[in-house]
């Protein structure tokens, strides 16, 4: 094959790559906006005021379980993480300005299907945290998921960490440690 025969296919490949790169760069802001809109819609259900916009706050406290903080009218949605049985759990916790938990959702987990994995979808388990203010405790005012005590305690520590930030009890909750 001659060099001249390779020029046309290489040029076509480079042109296609350039078009894809340009399209990617043009569509990135649209994708980022859709992600932000989706996040805001989910978060709006986590606060009683049903806010439509959130602003991200800077967090520089001691609790390593707190990842991100979003402020809105009437409260905060705080992204927290905790070490569960099979890996990290990531939760969004809605907390009103007085420190009362108003919403909890498990966003990501690696827990065992049918056991700890129930934390993401078991409404009765998650509802137990509503109305608490950093005082949730498995075996006291929170019933653990059957067969998933470690996961239940991890969710509890994460929820308490979020409420603790709002109430001013922002200290290491141990939400990233096993046990408790």
């Amino acid at each position: 094959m001659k060099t001249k025969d390779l020029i046309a296919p290489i040029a076509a490949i480079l042109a296609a790559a350039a078009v894809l790169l340009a399209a990617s760069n043009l569509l990135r802001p649209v994708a980022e906006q859709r992600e932000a809109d989706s996040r805001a819609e989910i978060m709006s259900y986590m606060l009683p005021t049903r806010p439509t916009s959130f602003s991200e706050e800077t967090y520089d406290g001691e609790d390593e379980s707190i990842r991100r903080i979003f402020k809105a009218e009437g409260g905060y949605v705080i992204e927290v993480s905790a070490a569960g049985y099979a890996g990290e759990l990531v939760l969004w916790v809605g907390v009103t300005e007085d420190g009362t938990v108003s919403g909890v959702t498990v966003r990501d987990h690696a827990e065992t299907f049918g056991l700890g994995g129930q934390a993401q979808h078991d409404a009765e388990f998650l509802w137990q945290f509503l109305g608490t203010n950093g005082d949730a405790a498995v075996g006291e005012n929170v019933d653990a998921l059957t067969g998933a005590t470690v996961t239940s305690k991890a969710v509890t520590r994460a929820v308490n960490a979020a409420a603790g930030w709002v109430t001013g009890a922002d200290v290491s909750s141990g939400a990233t440690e096993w046990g408790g």
Side-chain angles (χ1 to χ4, degrees):
M1 204 176 222
K2 296 181 182 180
T3 305
K4 286 168 79 175
D5 295 336
L6 294 176
I7 292 176
I10 291 173
I13 291 170
L14 291 175
V19 167
L20 289 174
L21 181 62
S24 173
N25 286 334
L26 288 173
L27 294 176
R28 181 174 291 120
V30 173
E32 289 171 354
Q33 185 60 48
R34 283 188 179 175
E35 173 66 26
D37 291 346
S38 175
R39 180 178 61 232
E41 182 178 0
I42 293 167
M43 288 179 173
S44 73
Y45 288 101
M46 301 187 74
L47 293 170
T49 57
R50 292 292 310 272
T52 57
S53 65
F54 292 82
S55 61
E56 190 165 357
E57 304 258 314
T58 303
Y59 177 71
D60 56 0
E62 296 176 19
D63 194 336
E64 293 178 5
S65 65
I66 296 176
R67 294 173 146 197
R68 298 170 80 183
I69 298 170
F70 298 92
K71 171 75 173 124
E73 177 189 340
Y76 303 85
V77 174
I78 302 172
E79 183 177 284
V80 288
S81 65
Y85 177 76
E88 182 180 53
L89 291 113
V90 177
L91 291 83
W92 283 353
V93 181
V95 184
T96 62
E97 290 175 345
D98 70 355
T100 304
V101 175
S102 59
V104 178
T105 184
V106 178
R107 299 292 298 160
D108 192 27
H109 71 88
E111 301 302 277
T112 308
F113 178 78
L115 296 173
Q118 293 179 61
Q120 187 169 27
H121 303 289
D122 189 326
E124 287 184 33
F125 172 70
L126 295 173
W127 286 340
Q128 296 178 94
F129 298 100
L130 301 181
T132 63
N133 56 5
D135 61 351
V138 173
E140 293 178 24
N141 57 353
V142 173
D143 293 327
L145 292 165
T146 303
T149 305
V150 172
T151 303
S152 301
K153 287 182 177 183
V155 170
T156 301
R157 286 189 305 273
V159 170
N160 286 342
W165 180 81
V166 175
T167 62
D170 184 23
V171 295
S172 180
S173 67
T176 57
E177 300 171 10
W178 242 50

